[in-house]
Amino acid sequence: MSQAVLENETAPAARMDLLRFATAGSVDDGKSTLIGRLLYDTKTIFADQLEAVEAASASRGDEYTNLALLTDGLRAEREQGITIDVAYRYFATPRRKFIIADTPGHIQYTRNMVTGASTADLALILVDARKGLVEQSRRHAFLTSLLRVPHLVLCINKMDLVDWDKAVYDRIADEFTSFAAKLEIGDLTIIPVSALNGDNIASRSENSPWYDGPSLLHHLEHVHIASDRNLVDVRFPVQYVIRPQSTTVTDYRGYAGQVASGVLKPGDEVLVLPSGLTSTIASIDTADGPVGEAFPPMSVTVRLNDEIDISRGDLICRPHNAPAVAQDIEAMVCWMDETAPLRVGGKYAIKHTTRTARTVVRGLQYRLDVNTLHRDEQAGELQLNEIGRVRLRTTVPLLADEYRRNRTTGGFILIDESTNRTVGAGMIIEAQ
Amino acid sequence: MSQAKPYRVSHLDALEAESIFVMREVMAEFERPVLLFSGGKDSIVMLRLAEKAFAPARIPFPVMHVDTGHNFPEVLEYRDTRVATLGLNLVVASVQEAIDSGHVRELPDGTRNRIQTPVLLAAVEKYRFDALFGGARRDEEKARAKERMFSFRDEFGQWDPKNQRPELWSLYNGRHHPGESIRVFPLSNWTELDVWHYIAKEQIPLPSIYYAHDREVVERGGMFYAVNEFIRLKDGETSEVRRVRYRTVGDASQTAAVLSEADTVDKVIDEVAATRITERGATRGDDKVSEAAMEDRKREGYF
Ligand SMILES: Nc1nc2c(ncn2[C@@H]2O[C@H](COP(=O)(O)OP(=O)(O)OP(=O)(O)O)[C@@H](O)[C@H]2O)c(=O)[nH]1
Ligand SMILES: [Mg+2]
């Protein structure tokens, strides 16, 4: 066990950075087991949790302690031995705090995988070494690239069941690399592991002398995420207007929100959309006092030097670097509703940053086959878990960027107005 | 992109920013939010986050205490002082009153955890609350680990874990029909240790029972319960005075203390970092009932 792990037993400092990662891959490829193993090896599992999992394993007749039970917390998951919805788990080493989203591999629950991956800095795609790439591995790799998760790790798992055969590893690694070349994947790392036995998880394994890369934990601790954020384009969606009704604080009018991208400073000239009015930043307030600059992911309150009408859903940016003010949106949409497909002419509510509007589907250019990446231009609808390129018209303009440039101002959800369910996730390609 | 400045935030600042974002979303999109305030450390931290989210304005929603009637006096006192200082409106949903009026029936074993749920739901209906902030954290329990930040509840207050709304990015869908509601968990991504680091950083006062003190306790199943009006010695049991603190504050008849010498926040942080038992495992009689006790209670409308 590596030194970093042992140090974990002392109190982690209050100042560490944060890495969010999500698992992905087909059903039974070992995602939950791998997370269980990672928690176990970093001593994040408490004695009573381990006892409960040991007892549950024994009563199910498992031959070994089933570490997947650490994240498969729902009754139905334990009965069926599969993950149904995302489980969030946490651990820290002296370097980083980690938020894990352990997602389901079953195709029926793809939307829950998308939920877990949407906020991830890194995705761990697992493949069973005996089976190699299957359709779900490709679907998840594609979704990860569509969601623009900046870092990808392919874990070729269950290497113990193929005698740690390097040829098996090479074949799957090659196959994946050539599939990945067709996708936009920024950073790919491939690691041979046995989640069950803990090989190459928290420390390098002796079973793979031919592998000279890092253990999974080492990689998670060191992967460089600081430059993943967009610090160039100032985007501040206004969430809420703070106007105290008080006798002690008078005439205060602040625009509260979370910085989506860029760096704001007092004195900066700003453009407010959709009104198009300009002003300068008077101050950037927090409950702890004013700050000299604000950047993602800070939640702050901005005050301007001019009285202009600004409300929730508006956006503050810089005059020469503004998003589109657009009612015609081209986007990739991942459909998540089992009760009705997305069809041309369908009307939905659309939520984009802090703005909600209505939208109609004007066109479906194509549906994508996630296995072959073939574009079916004859498709008339998107069924549950299908992905396609659609054209939308919205009732009011969205203040939008391309998703590839900005995950916050480029993403939206579609909501069915009668059931109130979230039915689609969209990633903007073009807005005008 | 090479920056002269790193523009880094610590994980604690990132968690705070996320929680504040969530609270502001709720305030902007709901008509009648309420914050569930038990006087426990998580709800105390949540209240501080609400202060920060809307400063310099006051917290723009009331707080509600679902009062089982089994309270630690230090906690009630803390609740009242805090509410008065912040100028908040406090709604008390009383389990005792509900028992007295016949709305719920006392269980044979006298525990009130489960009968809190109908009392909570009745208050939600009475005041027509549409969003309820809860201080639950995903690291507490395996069913809670599955919970969304915005958790939809039907008109019976029920959670359907097999049919949760997808929740992408920070685009929370709080839409609901009249009578339905959303439970919102701003502390979802915080761990027990994060909460304590934050209490230290913000210098948040806590009820005194969170720090080591001498107390007359009785040991049951490896847990140390205070001997008081709710917990009396059974035949054959003896009590002793031990140095203890509370890790969680729930119903006083079911919450146990842990042996501890930590009488300052820094010492508590050291103990929490070194502990090998979960917070609920060490202190809650109510979770030991079955494997899926929490999931079952949540389905019925529990926090
Ligand atoms: N021999 C061996 N078995 C493994 C390994 N990893 C996982 N398994 C087994 O594979 C089975 C499935 O593991 P899970 O962790 O539940 O798979 P999963 O990917 O989380 O499945 P879903 O979440 O339902 O998609 C279990 O029986 C595991 O014990 C491994 O490295 N070696
Ligand atoms: Mg799983």
Side-chain angles (χ1 to χ4, degrees):
Chain A
M1 193 172 296
S2 78
Q3 192 57 31
V5 177
L6 293 171
E7 281 168 19
N8 188 32
E9 290 190 77
T10 61
R15 293 191 68 85
M16 300 176 286
D17 63 9
L18 188 61
L19 181 105
R20 297 177 194 248
F21 69 92
T23 59
S26 189
V27 72
D28 278 351
D29 283 354
K31 298 177 288 298
S32 301
T33 306
L34 179 119
I35 295 312
R37 191 73 216 191
L38 204 51
L39 295 171
Y40 184 81
D41 286 350
T42 52
K43 304 213 188 302
T44 310
I45 300 176
F46 294 92
D48 52 321
Q49 287 173 324
L50 192 59
E51 261 169 44
V53 165
E54 279 165 353
S57 290
S59 73
R60 293 153 46 108
D62 295 338
E63 280 168 34
Y64 43 81
T65 301
N66 184 351
L67 292 175
L69 295 177
L70 281 163
T71 57
D72 289 341
L74 297 175
R75 193 195 289 282
E77 293 179 325
R78 289 167 170 236
E79 282 166 8
Q80 296 169 43
I82 59 166
T83 305
I84 291 173
D85 208 335
V86 194
Y88 293 91
R89 297 299 306 249
Y90 306 84
F91 76 102
T93 67
R95 287 181 165 269
R96 273 189 177 152
K97 167 167 170 149
F98 298 93
I99 299 181
I100 310 170
D102 181 33
T103 78
H106 200 289
I107 183 161
Q108 188 185 342
Y109 307 118
T110 301
R111 60 178 176 229
N112 296 335
M113 177 272 174
V114 171
T115 290
S118 69
T119 51
D121 302 303
L122 180 148
L124 286 183
I125 299 192
L126 272 77
V127 172
D128 184 330
R130 296 169 304 177
K131 298 185 197 151
L133 293 194
V134 295
E135 176 171 342
Q136 266 308 73
S137 336
R138 291 197 187 87
R139 174 176 278 110
H140 283 183
F142 177 71
L143 284 168
T144 331
S145 85
L146 192 64
L147 289 163
R148 300 200 79 79
V149 178
H151 307 274
L152 189 61
V153 178
L154 178 72
C155 287
I156 302 180
N157 187 33
K158 309 199 186 184
M159 286 300 294
D160 55 301
L161 298 179
V162 296
D163 296 326
W164 288 92
D165 183 352
K166 179 174 184 297
V168 172
Y169 169 86
D170 286 339
R171 185 171 47 72
I172 297 172
D174 286 349
E175 195 186 347
F176 190 86
T177 310
S178 62
F179 181 71
K182 295 186 237 165
L183 309 173
E184 287 184 78
I185 289 175
D187 167 35
L188 172 66
T189 303
I190 304 178
I191 308 179
V193 301
S194 167
L196 188 68
N197 301 331
D199 295 276
N200 291 331
I201 304 293
S203 58
R204 294 267 305 271
S205 168
E206 286 165 10
N207 289 322
S208 53
W210 43 264
Y211 169 72
D212 55 10
S215 71
L216 175 61
L217 181 62
H218 186 275
H219 182 67
L220 293 172
E221 282 191 296
H222 292 87
V223 60
H224 182 69
I225 52 169
S227 53
D228 295 343
R229 286 169 309 161
N230 177 337
L231 294 172
V232 175
D233 310 317
V234 171
R235 300 289 186 266
F236 185 77
V238 175
Q239 247 192 308
Y240 183 75
V241 182
I242 296 182
R243 249 174 322 169
Q245 309 294 317
S246 141
T247 46
T248 46
V249 190
T250 51
D251 297 334
Y252 186 97
R253 191 182 173 87
Y255 307 107
Q258 186 167 28
V259 184
S261 58
V263 181
L264 291 86
K265 295 190 186 69
D268 281 353
E269 196 184 337
V270 293
L271 171 69
V272 181
L273 294 175
S275 70
L277 299 170
T278 55
S279 182
T280 50
I281 296 180
S283 78
I284 302 174
D285 298 343
T286 72
D288 302 314
V291 292
E293 52 194 10
F295 46 88
M298 291 169 68
S299 282
V300 296
T301 303
V302 172
R303 283 190 299 139
L304 301 181
N305 281 317
D306 302 277
E307 294 232 344
I308 42 186
D309 181 19
I310 301 179
S311 49
R312 174 173 168 84
D314 293 357
L315 181 137
I316 295 173
C317 60
R318 302 273 281 158
H320 300 293
N321 179 346
V325 180
Q327 282 178 269
D328 291 297
I329 307 286
E330 296 260 347
M332 294 302 290
V333 166
C334 173
W335 195 245
M336 304 191 292
D337 189 22
E338 67 271 49
T339 57
L342 173 139
R343 282 207 188 94
V344 175
K347 294 193 174 82
Y348 306 95
I350 181 168
K351 188 170 184 187
H352 171 261
T353 70
T354 56
R355 183 168 272 239
T356 303
R358 299 185 70 216
T359 188
V360 56
V361 180
R362 279 277 171 84
L364 172 62
Q365 274 96 316
Y366 58 82
R367 179 177 61 206
L368 208 69
D369 180 325
V370 292
N371 242 327
T372 58
L373 302 181
H374 171 76
R375 296 172 175 185
D376 179 359
E377 289 171 9
Q378 308 309 313
E381 58 184 34
L382 292 181
Q383 297 275 1
L384 175 68
N385 298 322
E386 290 183 338
I387 297 158
R389 179 168 173 155
V390 301
R391 202 149 33 85
L392 302 175
R393 169 83 185 171
T394 58
T395 49
V396 296
L398 304 186
L399 314 169
D401 289 294
E402 282 171 49
Y403 183 80
R404 53 177 303 142
R405 185 142 183 110
N406 199 315
R407 272 170 108 182
T408 308
T409 52
F412 61 83
I413 56 171
L414 298 174
I415 299 167
D416 181 308
E417 291 182 295
S418 59
T419 64
N420 289 330
R421 300 266 312 173
T422 304
V423 290
M427 284 133 281
I428 295 171
I429 298 168
E430 206 182 320
Q432 44 181 248
Chain B
M1 207 185 313
S2 83
Q3 242 80 40
K5 283 191 179 178
Y7 292 111
R8 277 185 55 194
V9 298
S10 71
H11 80 286
L12 215 50
D13 290 339
L15 291 175
E16 181 193 67
E18 177 181 75
S19 303
I20 288 177
F21 176 85
V22 167
M23 294 188 132
R24 288 169 169 171
E25 278 301 283
V26 169
M27 200 46 221
E29 296 209 324
F30 289 80
E31 279 168 27
R32 301 170 79 88
V34 66
L35 184 147
L36 295 168
F37 186 71
S38 66
K41 65 179 186 313
D42 300 314
S43 57
I44 291 170
V45 164
M46 192 163 61
L47 200 59
R48 167 59 59 96
L49 291 163
E51 261 184 277
K52 295 185 105 173
F54 302 102
R58 277 193 188 171
I59 295 176
F61 37 76
V63 300
M64 173 157 75
H65 181 206
V66 182
D67 179 357
T68 62
H70 297 164
N71 295 301
F72 295 93
E74 298 89 338
V75 175
L76 276 193
E77 199 188 305
Y78 180 96
R79 177 195 80 184
D80 293 336
T81 317
R82 202 85 195 100
V83 163
T85 319
L86 294 173
L88 298 175
N89 192 353
L90 171 71
V91 175
V92 177
S94 162
V95 174
Q96 187 61 54
E97 272 174 29
I99 293 171
D100 295 344
S101 69
H103 176 60
V104 294
R105 214 182 296 161
E106 184 98 78
L107 298 175
D109 63 1
T111 60
R112 290 184 170 177
N113 208 325
R114 205 162 190 128
I115 56 177
Q116 280 183 77
T117 301
V119 178
L120 167 73
L121 297 180
V124 170
E125 213 171 302
K126 177 174 168 194
Y127 295 97
R128 291 184 290 118
F129 292 131
D130 51 4
L132 287 82
F133 289 109
R137 309 186 321 263
R138 288 168 176 158
D139 84 320
E140 279 180 79
E141 207 281 331
K142 59 186 182 304
R144 289 210 158 141
K146 296 275 166 181
E147 188 83 78
R148 298 277 193 264
M149 200 71 94
F150 271 43
S151 180
F152 174 81
R153 301 302 157 104
D154 67 9
E155 61 268 59
F156 303 101
Q158 298 180 107
W159 181 52
D160 183 359
K162 281 193 74 173
N163 198 18
Q164 300 197 84
R165 290 179 179 173
E167 193 167 86
L168 283 101
W169 304 292
S170 50
L171 294 173
Y172 301 110
N173 174 4
R175 288 189 171 224
H176 59 279
H177 295 296
E180 299 167 344
S181 62
I182 307 283
R183 301 283 170 88
V184 182
F185 301 107
L187 302 183
S188 288
N189 288 325
W190 296 55
T191 63
E192 185 185 15
L193 198 54
D194 295 328
V195 165
W196 278 105
H197 275 304
Y198 193 71
I199 288 165
K201 174 174 166 274
E202 295 282 314
Q203 301 181 313
I204 304 175
L206 292 183
S208 56
I209 64 171
Y210 275 112
Y211 297 106
H213 57 283
D214 291 326
R215 189 178 279 262
E216 187 186 350
V217 293
V218 53
E219 186 175 350
R220 282 182 192 159
M223 302 209 260
F224 294 87
Y225 291 91
V227 179
N228 55 26
E229 52 179 315
F230 312 115
I231 299 173
R232 299 188 195 285
L233 292 181
K234 296 177 190 158
D235 283 348
E237 282 184 340
T238 52
S239 68
E240 52 188 333
V241 173
R242 300 294 297 262
R243 204 153 174 76
V244 297
R245 68 177 168 85
Y246 283 86
R247 267 177 91 181
T248 64
V249 169
D251 184 294
S253 70
Q254 281 183 295
T255 308
V258 296
L259 298 179
S260 170
E261 292 294 331
D263 53 5
T264 65
V265 66
D266 291 332
K267 289 185 199 169
V268 173
I269 288 174
D270 288 343
E271 278 192 7
V272 170
T275 183
R276 302 303 336 140
I277 303 190
T278 62
E279 173 180 319
R280 298 191 75 91
T283 62
R284 293 293 180 91
D286 44 330
D287 285 352
K288 299 229 159 153
V289 182
S290 83
E291 266 262 295
M294 175 66 87
E295 179 179 340
D296 294 343
R297 271 183 286 145
K298 285 176 67 66
R299 280 173 181 275
E300 289 168 8
Y302 187 73
F303 309 111

